[in-house]
Amino acid sequence: ESGVLVGNYGYYIIKSRLDSTLNRSIAGLVDGQDTYTHLSQIGIKTDPNNNGTWTIDSTALAKALANDIEGVANLFIANTVKGSTGAAQRVYEEAKALTDSETGMLNVLISNYNDIIANIDKRIENEEKRLELYRQRQVERFARLEATLATLNAQSSAVESAIKQLPGSNKD
């Protein structure tokens, strides 16, 4: 099901950064020495056939847990002995960087959207002013038209009255 951010470039930037964070090997874990160094080795990966959605192969995960539960845990947690950060720590650090109040990409997006909203508000304000001026001009034109019609009606009455006073006119 599509969410409100699908199609938004900010969504794709965040997804790309998180995907990159989770697809890399875990720093501090060594191929050949540690059983697992990538989440994909335990069945957690993106599905290219489903727009890159993250999936969990429960069979592969169960097999990995049965084989080396500590090795699976090391993929997720910070291990000071091995000097590894783990996927959970990486996601935390990436989320923290994305939401940093000064340099975070989300705050930059919010600032950009606020600027866009301010520009739209200014355009609306200008259009409202333009419409009000147009309305005022139309009211003034209508008032002038009414005054002209009143003058013409008065002139018409005067002409009719003058015609009736001419000799030989019907004085009905």
Side-chain angles (χ1 to χ4, degrees):
E1 193 172 314
S2 295
V4 294
L5 289 179
V6 172
N8 178 290
Y9 72 95
Y11 164 82
Y12 290 108
I13 291 170
I14 293 167
K15 182 175 180 344
S16 173
R17 285 181 62 171
L18 288 174
D19 286 349
S20 174
T21 297
L22 293 173
N23 277 322
R24 293 189 318 250
S25 65
I26 303 299
L29 300 180
V30 180
D31 268 333
Q33 183 179 342
D34 292 294
T35 310
Y36 308 112
T37 58
H38 290 83
L39 291 175
S40 62
Q41 293 171 312
I42 63 168
I44 301 173
K45 56 187 172 187
T46 56
D47 182 358
N49 297 323
N50 193 13
N51 296 322
T53 303
W54 281 89
T55 61
I56 299 174
D57 179 341
S58 56
T59 305
L61 181 58
K63 185 177 175 183
L65 287 168
N67 183 40
D68 184 1
I69 195 165
E70 187 177 322
V72 172
N74 283 332
L75 288 173
F76 293 96
I77 63 171
N79 184 325
T80 54
V81 174
K82 291 188 169 288
S84 65
T85 55
Q89 182 67 30
R90 281 185 177 177
V91 170
Y92 171 78
E93 289 170 0
E94 189 63 37
K96 189 174 177 182
L98 286 167
T99 58
D100 182 87
S101 63
E102 293 180 19
T103 61
M105 200 265 316
L106 291 177
N107 288 318
V108 170
L109 286 173
I110 290 168
S111 176
N112 288 347
Y113 282 124
N114 285 337
D115 290 346
I116 290 168
I117 290 168
N119 287 335
I120 290 171
D121 287 345
K122 186 67 176 168
R123 286 176 38 201
I124 289 170
E125 182 182 323
N126 290 339
E127 273 304 298
E128 287 174 342
K129 286 178 184 177
R130 187 188 68 77
L131 287 172
E132 179 57 26
L133 287 172
Y134 179 77
R135 187 195 67 77
Q136 287 175 359
R137 283 194 304 266
Q138 294 304 98
V139 167
E140 290 168 3
R141 285 178 73 187
F142 185 76
R144 285 193 306 271
L145 179 62
E146 281 188 326
T148 301
L149 285 175
T151 300
L152 290 174
N153 282 336
Q155 289 174 353
S156 174
S157 294
V159 168
E160 284 178 10
S161 177
I163 290 174
K164 286 181 182 180
Q165 292 178 3
L166 289 175
S169 66
N170 280 341
K171 295 186 180 187
D172 303 313

